[in-house]
């Protein structure tokens, strides 16, 4: 018993030390571009879990009456930047007095996962749920990635359906991929405000369509020109077999085949990190050089503790951090901590609200934010 009382604290201290090392690497390596060292792309993925485990050691050392809990406290303080971008704590808002409020507009971003098409067959229940959510939200500007529409009159023309049901007179579709002449995939923007300029900007190649281009659109909103960039940055694009391999790895049920699968998946992720980093830098430069106040939105396929997020948010404000709460999960599978869909807005905008539309049927949850342009003093 006495031996256990001596050995157990030492084992716990070793575990605590290894955990803190992992936490610090997770928090700080994402500042390094995957072009320089590709493992930095992995670093931030587990940050919320590592942080929670580190916090757990504080009461453990308090029970043992050891000063070691200060090590965990110090590590958590050193991770302040990663904590601030991972969680939103809403404080009471002070209302401006004596100034007229600028008119507001809403934008939604939504990775639709092909609008309910699975294996080239339309899931009618899922498709109906998507349209119901769009009608419920009724955003003024609607940006969708992994969007699918079809010119065949026997199939689903999603562009016409959304225009008719939600009343969007303006739209622009990148149509990054076409199959069998009538099946089209890409990124789309719908707007109730006049769209005066659009551009499809190549940013690589994706077999799924979305992820091949960045959509740029200028709109006149209440007399001011606003630029929106929406994109889906490079995804891992795991197929069914690879997702099964991931599950085998998580459950430690794969043996030698599992080790081989791990190597294959890591190699695929390595290429994804470097390609996404290049897209991130391209999108950052576009937003930075915009002649108009800019909003960047879409599926960035990366967590807040990442090179992707740190690069794009350098001169932009995160709508979730200002008006959301909690972790802000937007991906419905793999992990409960994954926020990968964003609104990043120029400082010229007021951010009035943020909402996540959670639906168990969706792979990605649509998110919507409310903005207005700041009035000059």
């Amino acid at each position: 018993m006495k031996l256990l009382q001596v050995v157990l604290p030492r084992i716990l201290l070793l575990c605590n030390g290894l955990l803190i090392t992992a936490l610090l690497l997770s928090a700080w390596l994402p500042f390094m571009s995957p072009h320089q060292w590709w493992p930095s792309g992995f670093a931030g993925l587990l940050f919320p879990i590592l942080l929670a485990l580190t916090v757990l050691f504080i009461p453990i050392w308090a029970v043992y009456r050891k000063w070691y809990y200060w090590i965990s406290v110090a590590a958590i303080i050193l991770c302040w930047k990663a904590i601030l971008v991972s969680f939103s704590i809403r404080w009471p808002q002070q209302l401006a007095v004596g100034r007229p409020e600028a008119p507001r507009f809403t934008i939604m971003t939504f990775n639709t996962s092909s609008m309910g098409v699975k294996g080239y067959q339309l899931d009618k229940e899922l498709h109906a749920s998507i349209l119901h959510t769009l009608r419920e939200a009724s955003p003024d500007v609607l940006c969708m990635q992994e969007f699918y529409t079809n010119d065949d009159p026997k199939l689903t023309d999603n562009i016409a359906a959304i225009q008719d049901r939600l009343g969007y007179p303006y739209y622009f579709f990148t149509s990054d991929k076409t199959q069998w002449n009538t099946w089209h995939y890409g990124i789309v923007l719908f707007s109730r405000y006049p769209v005066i300029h659009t551009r499809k900007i190549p940013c690589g190649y994706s077999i799924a369509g979305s992820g091949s281009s960045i959509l740029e659109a200028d709109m006149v909103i209440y007399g001011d020109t606003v630029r929106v960039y929406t994109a889906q940055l490079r995804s891992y694009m795991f197929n069914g077999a690879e997702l099964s391999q991931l599950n085998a790895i998580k459950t430690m049920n794969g043996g030698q085949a599992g080790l081989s699968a791990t190597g294959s998946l890591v190699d695929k992720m390595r290429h994804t990190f470097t390609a996404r980093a290049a897209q991130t830098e391209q999108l950052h430069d576009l937003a930075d050089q915009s002649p108009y106040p800019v909003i960047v939105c879409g599926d960035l396929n990366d967590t807040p503790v990442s090179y992707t997020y740190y690069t794009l948010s350098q001169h932009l404000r995160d709508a979730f951090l200002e008006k959301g709460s909690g972790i802000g999960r937007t991906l419905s599978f793999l992990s409960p901590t994954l926020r990968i869909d964003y609104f990043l807005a120029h400082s010229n905008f007021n951010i009035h609200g943020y909402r996540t539309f959670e639906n168990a049927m969706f792979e990605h949850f649509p998110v919507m934010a409310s903005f207005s342009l700041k009035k000059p003093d």
Side-chain angles (χ1 to χ4, degrees):
M1 188 65 179
K2 290 183 179 180
L3 180 63
L4 183 62
Q5 291 176 341
V6 172
V7 172
L8 184 57
R10 293 180 180 178
I11 294 174
L12 288 173
L13 183 60
L14 175 62
C15 292
N16 196 184
L18 292 173
L19 180 61
I20 286 172
T21 301
L23 178 70
L24 293 174
L25 290 174
S26 178
W28 291 100
L29 276 181
F31 286 97
M32 179 184 295
S33 170
H35 285 305
Q36 297 173 291
W37 196 52
W38 68 265
S40 67
F42 284 104
L45 294 175
L46 295 177
F47 176 78
I49 297 171
L50 294 171
L51 178 65
L53 292 174
T54 302
V55 170
L56 282 176
F57 268 94
I58 295 175
I60 289 174
W61 292 128
V63 168
Y64 274 98
R65 297 183 179 181
K66 298 285 189 180
W67 62 269
Y68 301 145
Y69 63 84
W70 285 110
I71 302 174
S72 291
V73 171
I76 292 168
I77 292 172
L78 289 173
C79 295
W80 64 271
K81 172 68 174 177
I83 293 171
L84 289 178
V85 300
S86 296
F87 307 97
S88 175
I89 302 174
R90 299 181 65 181
W91 301 98
Q93 300 292 310
Q94 292 186 347
L95 297 177
V97 177
R99 297 188 60 187
E101 186 174 316
R104 301 178 183 184
F105 60 94
T106 54
I107 305 183
M108 172 178 276
T109 182
F110 182 18
N111 181 326
T112 71
S113 302
S114 299
M115 292 295 292
V117 171
K118 299 179 179 179
Y120 302 106
Q121 296 292 322
L122 181 66
D123 183 328
K124 293 183 179 180
E125 184 182 2
L126 176 54
H127 185 261
S129 185
I130 290 171
L131 294 179
H132 173 78
T133 299
L134 297 181
R135 283 196 301 269
E136 176 193 354
S138 190
D140 297 316
V141 179
L142 173 61
C143 301
M144 294 191 284
Q145 307 83 40
E146 289 192 27
F147 181 77
Y148 153 78
T149 190
N150 208 306
D151 298 335
D152 188 332
K154 297 178 182 178
L155 298 172
T156 308
D157 185 343
N158 282 308
I159 289 178
I162 291 171
Q163 280 194 292
D164 292 344
R165 298 185 189 193
L166 280 83
Y168 292 116
Y170 308 96
Y171 82 92
F172 177 64
F173 180 41
T174 61
S175 190
D176 294 314
K177 176 184 177 182
T178 298
Q179 281 187 298
W180 307 305
N181 298 321
T182 65
W183 298 62
H184 306 289
Y185 301 85
I187 302 171
V188 69
L189 177 144
F190 294 93
S191 175
R192 295 192 178 118
Y193 303 107
V195 178
I196 60 174
H197 161 80
T198 56
R199 183 164 60 131
K200 170 183 171 179
I201 305 168
C203 65
Y205 171 75
S206 168
I207 192 171
S210 292
S212 303
S213 67
I214 298 166
L215 188 157
E216 174 186 276
D218 295 342
M219 290 164 283
V220 178
I221 301 179
Y222 300 117
D224 294 299
T225 302
V226 170
R227 175 164 290 182
V228 171
Y229 286 108
T230 185
Q232 179 190 24
L233 300 190
R234 181 64 62 88
S235 169
Y236 300 117
M237 296 303 297
F238 292 132
N239 56 38
E242 289 168 334
L243 287 173
S244 297
Q245 290 171 353
L246 277 173
N247 186 62
I249 293 167
K250 287 197 297 182
T251 58
M252 308 293 286
N253 182 24
Q256 187 63 38
L259 291 175
S260 177
T262 301
S264 174
L265 292 172
V266 167
D267 189 59
K268 187 170 188 175
M269 294 175 76
R270 176 173 64 86
H271 289 293
T272 299
F273 293 145
T274 53
R276 190 188 300 143
Q279 292 177 327
T280 297
E281 291 157 7
Q282 180 183 4
L283 183 54
H284 168 268
D285 290 344
L286 288 167
D288 206 40
Q289 295 163 14
S290 170
Y292 308 114
V294 66
I295 294 173
V296 175
C297 66
D299 174 11
L300 303 186
N301 270 308
D302 227 333
T303 64
V305 185
S306 66
Y307 177 76
T308 300
Y309 180 88
Y310 289 149
T311 300
L312 288 176
S313 63
Q314 282 178 13
H315 304 118
L316 302 174
R317 296 154 58 207
D318 187 334
F320 167 75
L321 294 183
E322 298 203 15
K323 294 296 178 179
S325 62
I327 295 177
R329 178 188 189 185
T330 65
L331 192 68
S332 65
F333 61 100
L334 289 181
S335 169
T337 64
L338 292 179
R339 178 165 74 98
I340 64 175
D341 302 86
Y342 300 86
F343 283 107
L344 302 172
H346 192 270
S347 59
N348 281 13
F349 290 100
N350 296 303
I351 302 171
H352 300 285
Y354 180 96
R355 180 181 174 186
T356 303
F357 292 78
E358 295 190 9
N359 186 317
M361 298 180 68
F362 298 165
E363 290 186 8
H364 288 251
F365 300 141
V367 292
M368 186 167 74
S370 174
F371 301 93
S372 68
L373 275 166
K374 294 180 178 178
K375 290 183 176 292
D377 294 327

